Amino acid sequence: MSSDISAEGGSRRPTTPTLANPQTNGKSSHTKAGLVPTNNVTTKEGLTVRTRIEPSLSVDDVIRQLCISLKLKDPPAVYALRDENDELVTNDNLRKKIKGKVNLKLVNAPAIEAAEIVEKLGGASDAKLGLALTSLRKLIREEQFANEFLQRDGLRELIEVINTAHGNILAYALTAMQNLMELDYGWANLGSSFIFKVVQILSSEQSPINVCRPATAILKKLVEADPSSASGQNAGQAASTSKGPPSPSPGSVYRYGFDVVFEQMRKERRLLETVVNRLGSADTTMALYSMMLINSLLAHASDPRWDEFIAELERLNVRKAVIRLMSSHTIEDLTSCILDFQANMVRVTFRKKTTLVEPDFEPLHNQALQFIWEKSKIQEEREDAVTYIKWRKLGFETEDIGHEFREVGVLGLDCLKYFVEKDPDYWAKVVQEQLSRSAERRCPIGKASNEVTDLLAEHWAIYAPGYSTSTTFQPFFLNFPKVHSLALHFFLRMWNESGASTDDFPRLVALTRSQVKVALKRENIRPWHEVEQEFLESEYRAVRDRQMQELEMEDDIMSKIPIRNLRAKLYKESYEFVRQQRIHCLLEGAWFMNGIPLATTVPRDTMRRPTRPWRFLRLDAGLKYLHYVDSAVKFPVRKGLEDLPERIEIAMISEVATGTCAPFPHIQRDQTDIPLGASSPMLASPLSFSLLSTTGGSLADQIAPDQARWADWTDGLNMLRRDGGHVASQETELFVQALTEIGLKIKLLDLSGERVDIPSGLVAGPPPGNSDFFFSDLAYDAPA
């Protein structure tokens, strides 16, 4: 066809051919005069060409025909097409660019760009090196460019820059490496010296924030690239936001993991301390990255290094640092990460509770027990020719001290040790005071300590790893030993004020349980001094009267140990049932409004801003990808994935942050289906959420139409994550609790508290076909 070819400044050429499929020999049926061009293409010289591109063409064919039509001297292989945002045009997105009539640019091919950048990395001046790295950190995400860059030994040059540079040049180089590691290949040969270099960079308090951010993300990625992540659900693979050719085998880069990284961390002892200190950084992004690294280390810590790593974190008082963040003014950006940390601490606490106390095999256990004994300032006695009285003097029932801690494990030992450390003189005084009484009037202090530990674990639902449903901050939980100390003080005071005897021990446990519920209510907003007041100043008579009122409303059978064990079992089954229902909602798919992230924690160069206001999302059957399509209007989406050309890999979602987005700015304000809370373009919607990648960028920013869909999707996506994540909505938390109580009551219809059998299981019916939740879908294996 004939049309104008206009260059900048108004110069014109007489004709422009239609770019037709080569199979038609250039005789396309669309070459008639008057057809509207599909795209403008601008050359490197600034010449703008109006063209009509056939959607059936490949990118190579388009470039070849452009070169012929424009009589360019260089071969087509040295050219590529990009859009105005510098996104590379590929066979996968060409149709989309044509349909959208996107303006295109004829630029250097990835091979040419890669060769030029590698050359500059090898010996350019700082100014040219800075420009090369600025281009590299953006282009390295593209597979075509990355392949050319790696083939030219660009990775070695980049590592050399990281080893020798400082300041902004180092920041640019680390960011380029961070972006390269979004791919699932090309960085399998990073040696221990490189990992140690990153550790050293992070350990230095003089390292600027723009250096620490990408260094933290790199270390986090290395921790998550362990061999186990290469199988199963392909956790840890690189994100892909559009369909493309099959990726190389994922096994190549999954050779690092916690042990490899921790080995280098041990050489630089300041690293963890510096990372924990950065939780208090005024730079919210730095605090976020540090929090994400700590969560990653906690989620991937291996058994051989577990005790050493957790002990070091406890020594650095990381819990206290996180508690400070809970009340920080920057909390909006960190909520999701803090809840993840809280969930990780539930796993740590459960592991401690289920780890046996073995003083004969574990030196640390023996040291703790000897410390407790020595601070009591008493002597063991010979009971007979072969038996000594030692631990029974401290209120345990037998001399088998490992057996005494069987229900609370190392958690109980740590709590008792903390109690003794807090005030050794008080400990010695209490022990000696009890020994001065008659046997039936003595308070069994050791046994009481373990009971308090157990009831606090029950209060915070420490039932199993990966089953944390708290949607609010629990600062008192993070202070577990401190709360235990207060509760044990309360127990001892109630024992004295009530004149209790040995037979009254269960009554005092029930009294303490009642006080724990009162003292720790509204934990997310209650000040610590009120908790201390409840435990240290409440009078026995007032506590007892309140407990009697509670017992009138609640059968005492519910506090018996078999019932508590039954509740714990049903809780886990209920959680799994709700998890399956939430995932089913993801499989069905739903429409969301596209949002604009307001948080400063999302680096600008990693944001992918949508150009259309609506997005339909659907999880694939393999639970590996979120497929989606952006649209100007909602439309009926067919089953399957045919209507959803783009995708996001689940494995690259490191966090589901909530309350992060403002509404899409171009949507008409008079539309009736705008999500609630999305009325102001300047404020974050409470129904918004962002999918943050393992490198800290935003993969998607959405606003749900209502609270139910927001709960289904935020919790469903969290439950898909390898480490379990955290539950974000009260709806899910209440569902799990309600199902647990319903199942418990069904089980107890014809059973007494003394004859409770552990149920054979909770059986879930088929998930509902929409996001509504129905209790009728649940069938309990109740006794006949």
Side-chain angles (χ1 to χ4, degrees):
M1 86 181 239
S2 297
S3 65
D4 291 334
I5 303 178
S6 59
E8 291 186 23
S11 62
R12 306 172 70 85
R13 291 176 183 250
T15 60
T16 294
T18 295
L19 304 184
N21 192 308
Q23 292 180 352
T24 65
N25 296 318
K27 298 178 182 179
S28 172
S29 59
H30 300 285
T31 60
K32 295 179 181 179
L35 288 182
V36 179
T38 59
N39 304 84
N40 288 342
V41 179
T42 302
T43 66
K44 290 189 291 183
E45 292 76 21
L47 183 70
T48 299
V49 182
R50 301 173 63 199
T51 63
R52 180 175 183 83
I53 304 175
E54 287 291 332
S56 58
L57 288 174
S58 68
V59 173
D60 288 343
D61 288 332
V62 172
I63 294 173
R64 181 177 57 80
Q65 292 192 31
L66 278 171
C67 289
I68 295 173
S69 300
L70 299 176
K71 300 179 180 179
L72 299 178
K73 296 179 180 180
D74 295 323
V78 303
Y79 292 105
L81 285 173
R82 294 187 179 275
D83 65 14
E84 291 179 315
N85 297 319
D86 286 328
E87 180 184 0
L88 185 67
V89 178
T90 66
N91 291 332
D92 297 315
N93 61 23
L94 177 60
R95 283 175 174 266
K96 184 178 178 181
K97 304 296 182 187
I98 297 173
K99 185 177 180 181
K101 297 186 177 181
V102 175
N103 292 331
L104 304 177
K105 297 184 294 185
L106 191 64
V107 297
N108 284 336
I112 304 300
E113 292 176 317
E116 292 177 352
I117 288 177
V118 170
E119 181 180 359
K120 291 176 182 177
L121 293 182
S125 63
D126 282 355
K128 291 184 178 179
L129 181 59
L131 291 173
L133 288 169
T134 299
S135 298
L136 177 62
R137 61 182 181 172
K138 180 170 62 175
L139 296 174
I140 197 66
R141 291 195 183 96
E142 299 172 358
E143 288 194 18
Q144 290 185 29
F145 176 88
N147 290 333
E148 298 291 344
F149 179 79
L150 294 169
Q151 288 174 12
R152 287 163 172 77
D153 209 13
L155 180 60
R156 183 181 62 81
E157 297 290 352
L158 179 59
I159 292 175
E160 184 61 28
V161 173
I162 292 173
N163 287 333
T164 58
H166 53 82
N168 288 336
I169 297 296
L170 177 58
Y172 298 156
L174 288 169
T175 303
M177 177 63 75
Q178 173 190 349
N179 294 342
L180 170 63
M181 294 175 74
E182 290 186 16
L183 302 175
D184 61 356
Y185 62 92
W187 46 280
N189 297 316
L190 300 177
S192 58
S193 59
F194 170 80
I195 300 174
F196 183 60
K197 177 63 178 179
V198 177
V199 168
Q200 285 182 311
I201 292 171
L202 279 178
S203 300
S204 173
E205 295 182 357
Q206 282 70 46
S207 295
I209 289 175
N210 65 336
V211 169
C212 291
R213 288 176 187 168
T216 304
I218 288 170
L219 208 61
K220 177 178 179 290
K221 183 69 175 180
L222 290 168
V223 170
E224 294 169 352
D226 57 45
S228 63
S229 298
S231 57
Q233 295 184 3
N234 293 326
Q237 289 185 24
S240 174
T241 55
S242 64
K243 289 184 179 180
S247 300
S249 173
S252 57
V253 297
Y254 297 103
R255 52 178 294 269
Y256 305 104
F258 178 87
D259 286 338
V260 172
V261 173
F262 192 66
E263 190 61 35
Q264 303 306 315
M265 290 171 58
R266 296 175 79 199
K267 300 176 183 178
E268 192 62 74
R269 288 292 184 179
R270 296 174 299 168
L271 173 66
L272 269 181
E273 181 177 359
T274 306
V275 171
V276 171
N277 289 340
R278 287 194 179 114
L279 293 178
S281 171
D283 183 274
T284 306
T285 305
M286 191 67 259
L288 173 67
Y289 277 35
S290 299
M291 189 83 263
M292 291 173 71
L293 176 59
I294 291 172
N295 281 333
S296 183
L297 289 166
L298 282 168
H300 293 82
S302 61
D303 289 342
R305 302 296 187 191
W306 172 273
D307 291 333
E308 180 183 355
F309 172 62
I310 297 300
E312 182 66 8
L313 277 183
E314 300 288 15
R315 184 187 70 80
L316 296 171
N317 218 343
V318 66
R319 296 172 188 245
K320 187 175 181 179
V322 175
I323 290 173
R324 287 198 203 100
L325 281 178
M326 289 179 173
S327 57
S328 170
H329 66 282
T330 61
I331 196 58
E332 292 82 3
D333 296 329
L334 295 166
T335 298
S336 185
C337 262
I338 291 174
L339 290 175
D340 276 347
F341 177 82
Q342 206 166 265
N344 278 323
M345 285 296 104
V346 169
R347 284 186 276 275
V348 170
T349 305
F350 176 80
R351 176 157 176 159
K352 287 186 175 183
K353 187 174 183 288
T354 54
T355 299
L356 297 177
V357 174
E358 299 177 308
D360 295 334
F361 303 102
E362 294 291 342
L364 291 177
H365 299 178
N366 185 58
Q367 291 172 18
L369 289 168
Q370 290 307 311
F371 172 81
I372 293 168
W373 173 254
E374 291 171 3
K375 294 302 178 181
S376 67
K377 298 180 181 179
I378 58 176
Q379 301 295 322
E380 62 183 356
E381 297 177 3
R382 182 183 291 274
E383 185 176 37
D384 52 43
V386 295
T387 306
Y388 286 87
I389 301 177
K390 179 179 179 180
W391 298 114
R392 280 177 286 172
K393 284 191 169 188
L394 299 186
F396 294 102
E397 293 182 327
T398 69
E399 292 300 316
D400 185 352
I401 193 62
H403 182 74
E404 292 295 317
F405 285 97
R406 65 192 181 281
E407 296 296 333
V408 292
V410 172
L411 178 65
L413 178 59
D414 287 348
C415 286
L416 182 55
K417 182 185 177 186
Y418 178 89
F419 182 82
V420 176
E421 284 178 331
K422 193 76 174 173
D423 193 342
D425 293 336
Y426 175 77
W427 167 251
K429 176 184 175 183
V430 170
V431 170
Q432 293 167 24
E433 180 184 317
Q434 300 306 317
L435 290 175
S436 68
R437 299 177 180 178
S438 60
E440 65 275 6
R441 291 292 178 183
R442 295 174 188 169
C443 175
I445 311 171
K447 181 180 177 183
S449 174
N450 287 344
E451 282 289 343
V452 169
T453 302
D454 197 40
L455 66 87
L456 287 177
E458 176 190 350
H459 174 78
W460 281 307
I462 313 299
Y463 296 139
Y467 294 96
S468 175
T469 59
S470 175
T471 60
T472 58
F473 294 152
Q474 295 178 315
F476 304 154
F477 162 67
L478 297 183
N479 263 328
F480 196 109
K482 197 171 182 178
V483 176
H484 169 273
S485 181
L486 286 175
L488 185 53
H489 273 287
F490 174 84
F491 188 101
L492 295 171
R493 188 163 60 84
M494 292 298 103
W495 184 279
N496 292 334
E497 291 184 12
S498 65
S501 63
T502 305
D503 293 338
D504 294 320
F505 186 85
R507 178 174 60 83
L508 267 295
V509 172
L511 197 70
T512 305
R513 177 180 289 107
S514 173
Q515 190 67 9
V516 164
K517 292 179 181 178
V518 171
L520 301 181
K521 65 183 179 182
R522 295 181 293 114
E523 179 176 353
N524 59 315
I525 59 174
R526 191 165 205 185
W528 176 253
H529 70 85
E530 289 186 10
V531 179
E532 292 182 313
Q533 187 176 10
E534 290 284 1
F535 280 121
L536 300 179
E537 299 180 16
S538 297
E539 296 181 356
Y540 169 75
R541 181 55 57 190
V543 175
R544 181 61 178 165
D545 289 345
R546 187 197 66 237
Q547 184 198 25
M548 293 305 295
Q549 293 176 0
E550 292 172 351
L551 289 176
E552 290 177 2
M553 297 181 288
E554 180 180 350
D555 194 335
D556 187 51
I557 188 177
M558 303 303 286
S559 64
K560 293 183 178 293
I561 292 178
I563 301 300
R564 287 155 53 191
N565 292 338
L566 175 57
R567 178 184 278 111
K569 179 178 177 64
L570 290 176
Y571 178 90
K572 290 186 286 185
E573 295 175 351
S574 299
Y575 182 96
E576 183 59 29
F577 175 84
V578 174
R579 177 180 179 273
Q580 292 299 325
Q581 184 270 336
R582 292 294 192 235
I583 291 175
H584 179 76
C585 292
L586 272 61
L587 293 168
E588 287 290 306
W591 281 102
F592 295 89
M593 181 192 290
N594 280 319
I596 301 299
L598 299 181
T600 57
T601 56
V602 181
R604 288 187 178 181
D605 62 346
T606 62
M607 288 191 206
R608 296 180 175 88
R609 293 288 179 87
T611 58
R612 298 177 182 179
W614 299 104
R615 173 172 293 183
F616 186 90
L617 286 161
R618 176 178 287 156
L619 180 67
D620 74 328
L623 311 184
K624 295 179 182 179
Y625 295 97
L626 270 181
H627 294 256
Y628 69 90
V629 63
D630 290 331
S631 177
V633 295
K634 296 181 181 179
F635 63 88
V637 179
R638 293 174 293 179
K639 294 290 185 181
L641 305 174
E642 288 186 18
D643 294 339
L644 311 174
E646 316 288 346
R647 70 184 187 183
I648 299 169
E649 191 164 359
I650 293 296
M652 273 301 288
I653 301 174
S654 68
E655 180 185 353
V656 182
T658 57
T660 55
C661 312
F664 192 87
H666 304 306
I667 192 166
Q668 296 299 317
R669 290 284 122 202
D670 57 352
Q671 289 195 20
T672 59
D673 53 354
I674 295 176
L676 297 175
S679 58
S680 172
M682 302 303 294
L683 299 176
S685 167
L687 300 181
S688 63
F689 62 91
S690 294
L691 307 183
L692 302 186
S693 73
T694 55
T695 54
S698 176
L699 298 173
D701 304 286
Q702 312 303 146
I703 302 177
D706 51 53
Q707 183 70 24
R709 187 170 298 175
W710 180 87
D712 286 342
W713 280 73
T714 55
D715 292 334
L717 289 167
N718 266 314
M719 289 169 169
L720 273 178
R721 290 164 54 191
R722 182 186 177 200
D723 57 5
H726 66 271
V727 170
S729 71
Q730 290 187 347
E731 285 82 354
T732 297
E733 182 181 13
L734 294 174
F735 282 160
V736 174
Q737 292 175 359
L739 283 173
T740 302
E741 295 305 315
I742 290 173
L744 187 61
K745 290 175 181 177
I746 291 175
K747 279 293 182 182
L748 299 179
L749 283 176
D750 63 345
L751 298 175
S752 68
E754 289 77 16
R755 297 186 293 105
V756 174
D757 295 325
I758 296 299
S760 58
L762 178 152
V763 181
N770 54 41
S771 61
D772 297 328
F773 189 90
F774 298 99
F775 291 124
S776 60
D777 288 306
L778 185 62
Y780 285 94
D781 184 18

